[in-house]
Amino acid sequence: MAKETEIVFVDGVRTPFGRAGEKGMFWNTRSDDLVVKAMIGLLERNPTIPRERFDEVAIAATTQTGDQGLTIGRSAALLAGLPTSVPGYAIDRMCAGAMTAVTNVAGGIAFGAYDLTIAGGVEHMGHHPMGSGVDPNPRFLSEKLVDPEALNMGNTAEKLHDRFPHLTKARSDAFALRSQQRATAAYEANNIQPDLIPVATKSEAGWGMATRDEGLRPETTLEGLSGLKTPFRPHGRITAGNASGLNDGATASIIASGDAAREFGLKPKMRMVSFAYAGVEPEIMGIGPIPSTEKALQKAGLSINDIGLFELNEAFAVQVLSLLDHFGIDDEDPRVNQWGGAIAMGHPLASSGVRLMIQLAAQFQQHPEVRYGLTAMCVGLGQGGSVIWENPNYKGAE
C-alpha cells in the first residue's frame, strides 16, 4: 500500500486589500498586476526553489473577464517570470476561489501529479463588480429553483437573521466591532505586515505605496454601528458596518509535498489534514461552512473541540455567528479570528481563502500549544468550504 502523501502550506503572501471604486487605492492598478505582484513577492521569499520545478499555477477569480481573464493562472505565471514550461489555469468558486485553488492542487499532489505548486486568487471589485456581465439562466426563477433574493448576498444574510432570530443585529454589531478592534491590535503588534507585499499605486495626487489594508476603521463604535443604514431592506439588520466591504486584492501561496519541501530546505508553516465542500439552500448561503466543517472534521477523525484556532471569513457577522452557535462556541471566543477578519480587512472575493490560511499559519507559529486549526468560508449560490490544518510547531508533535 502506497504511503500517504504529506501536503504542506509552505508560505503565503498577499497584497494589502483596497476599497473598490474610483476612490480606492487600486483603481488605477490592473487586476492581473495585483496577483503578479503577490506571486513575485512569494517567489522572492523562497529563493531556494528552482522556478522550473513548479508543476502548476492555480489562480482564482470570480469575474473572469478583462484584466481578470485570459486564463489568469497561466498569464500570471508568465508575467511573474516563471519559465514557459510552468502551466497554469483559472478557477471560479466565487468567495472560495483561492481556497479551491489550494485544495485542487493539494489533490494533484496527493495523486502524485505535482510536487510544487502556486495557488491563490485575485479580485478587483472596482473593475469587476460582483455579478457584472453575468446572465443567470431564467429557469432559476421560472422553475423556482431559487428565491430571487438568493442572487443578492446581502439579502441572503438578512434571511439568516430571519431564520435565527436569536442572532440579533446587536450581536452582529458587537462581533463587527471586535473584528475592527482585533485587526487594529494585530497591525499594532506587527502581526499582519510581515506577509503583506507592498504595491505601488497611482492617483491624481501622484504615486504612492499601499502597505496596509485600506478599509480598516479603528474609530468604529457600537453607537456608530447601530445607526448605519440597512440597504437590503427597511429596518433590516445588515449594514456596511457588520458586513465585509467591496475590495480589490490578491493572494498567493506555495503548496507542496512534504518530500519537495524537504528537498529544497523549506520549513512548512502548516500541514493539510482534510478539506470538504458542501451545498446548502442558496437563499441562506451563509450557513454553508457548517456542513462543510462537519464533513472535514469527519474525514479527519476529529471533533470541533480539537480545533484550537479558527479563521472564518467574515462575509457577514451573522454568517460567522450562525456557525459559532451551531458548534456551541461563544461569540467572543479568543480562538476565533484572533487578528480580526474580512469586516475590518476586506473580502476581495476569490482571494480571501488564502488570506485565512496566511493568518492561521502565522498564528500557529505563535501558538505551539495548538495542534489543529480551521479555515472556513461561505460561498455564493449556497456552498461552504472548510480546510483543517495541523501545526508543525505543535509542542506535542513527534
Side-chain angles (χ1 to χ4, degrees):
M1 184 176 178
K3 71 172 184 176
E4 180 181 349
T5 300
E6 184 183 20
I7 299 163
V8 295
F9 181 98
V10 172
D11 196 11
V13 300
R14 68 176 178 92
T15 69
F17 289 169
R19 290 176 176 164
E22 294 185 27
K23 296 182 180 180
M25 61 187 181
F26 292 141
W27 178 249
N28 294 313
T29 305
R30 288 179 60 95
S31 179
D32 47 11
D33 283 340
L34 284 174
V35 72
V36 167
K37 186 68 175 178
M39 288 172 58
I40 291 173
L42 182 68
L43 293 168
E44 289 177 346
R45 285 183 18 156
N46 295 275
T48 65
I49 304 174
R51 302 301 184 249
E52 69 274 7
R53 285 295 303 272
F54 284 102
D55 297 302
E56 188 70 272
V57 176
I59 300 297
T62 302
T63 307
Q64 296 185 13
T65 186
D67 56 356
Q68 285 182 184
L70 201 61
T71 313
I72 195 164
R74 173 59 172 171
S75 57
L78 294 171
L79 291 165
L82 289 172
T84 56
S85 58
V86 179
Y89 67 107
I91 293 172
D92 171 23
R93 199 200 294 263
M94 293 193 181
C95 305
M99 176 178 283
T100 303
V102 168
T103 56
N104 274 11
V105 297
I109 293 168
F111 187 73
Y114 305 147
D115 294 312
L116 282 157
T117 65
I118 293 175
V122 63
E123 206 75 48
H124 200 305
M125 298 179 75
H127 294 174
H128 309 287
M130 191 188 316
S132 63
V134 302
D135 180 18
N137 194 295
R139 288 183 52 219
F140 279 126
L141 302 184
S142 64
E143 298 181 19
K144 298 183 178 180
L145 298 175
V146 299
D147 187 293
E149 292 188 341
L151 302 179
N152 180 296
M153 298 302 102
N155 288 333
T156 68
E158 287 283 7
K159 285 183 175 294
L160 273 184
H161 277 293
D162 294 341
R163 180 166 293 203
F164 305 113
H166 59 283
L167 301 180
T168 61
K169 182 179 183 296
R171 284 178 66 180
S172 285
D173 286 347
F175 185 90
L177 177 63
R178 283 191 296 275
S179 180
Q180 294 287 354
Q181 292 171 336
R182 290 178 177 183
T184 298
Y187 264 94
E188 291 175 349
N190 200 43
N191 287 326
I192 305 298
Q193 295 93 319
D195 296 317
L196 291 183
I197 303 299
V199 178
T201 62
K202 186 178 181 180
S203 68
E204 292 181 359
W207 288 94
M209 185 69 74
T211 60
R212 61 190 286 127
D213 298 314
E214 193 176 16
L216 297 167
R217 296 186 295 273
E219 72 283 0
T220 300
T221 63
L222 273 181
E223 182 180 15
L225 289 170
S226 67
L228 293 175
K229 295 180 181 179
T230 58
F232 302 105
R233 67 168 68 162
H235 310 294
R237 291 139 301 189
I238 303 301
T239 70
N242 59 32
S244 58
L246 304 178
N247 302 98
D248 311 325
T251 57
S253 67
I254 295 175
I255 309 297
S257 68
D259 288 344
R262 286 182 283 273
E263 179 182 352
F264 298 111
L266 306 169
K267 185 180 179 182
K269 294 184 175 181
M270 301 193 292
R271 183 183 73 84
M272 185 179 289
V273 178
S274 70
F275 68 85
Y277 297 93
V280 297
E281 299 167 61
E283 294 82 2
I284 49 167
M285 65 94 195
I287 65 169
I290 294 174
S292 64
T293 296
E294 290 176 332
K295 286 174 68 175
L297 288 168
Q298 182 181 18
K299 291 175 183 296
L302 299 173
S303 78
I304 198 69
N305 296 324
D306 294 311
I307 305 300
L309 287 167
F310 296 78
E311 276 295 321
L312 308 175
N313 192 47
E314 299 168 356
F316 302 93
V318 66
Q319 176 265 315
V320 179
L321 293 174
S322 69
L323 182 144
L324 298 183
D325 262 27
H326 177 83
F327 287 109
I329 299 169
D330 188 80
D331 291 8
E332 300 184 39
D333 194 306
R335 297 174 298 167
V336 178
N337 294 8
Q338 285 195 344
W339 296 348
I343 288 173
M345 298 174 187
H347 174 30
L349 302 182
S351 67
S352 289
V354 166
R355 180 192 66 79
L356 302 175
M357 297 170 194
I358 292 168
Q359 289 188 198
L360 180 61
Q363 290 167 33
F364 270 171
Q365 292 181 307
Q366 295 185 9
H367 294 281
E369 77 281 5
V370 171
R371 184 169 186 179
Y372 297 109
L374 172 74
T375 55
M377 59 202 313
C378 62
V379 188
L381 285 184
Q383 299 182 80
S386 303
V387 188
I388 296 174
W389 303 90
E390 185 175 22
N391 186 359
N393 309 296
Y394 176 57
K395 63 184 179 181
E398 296 181 357

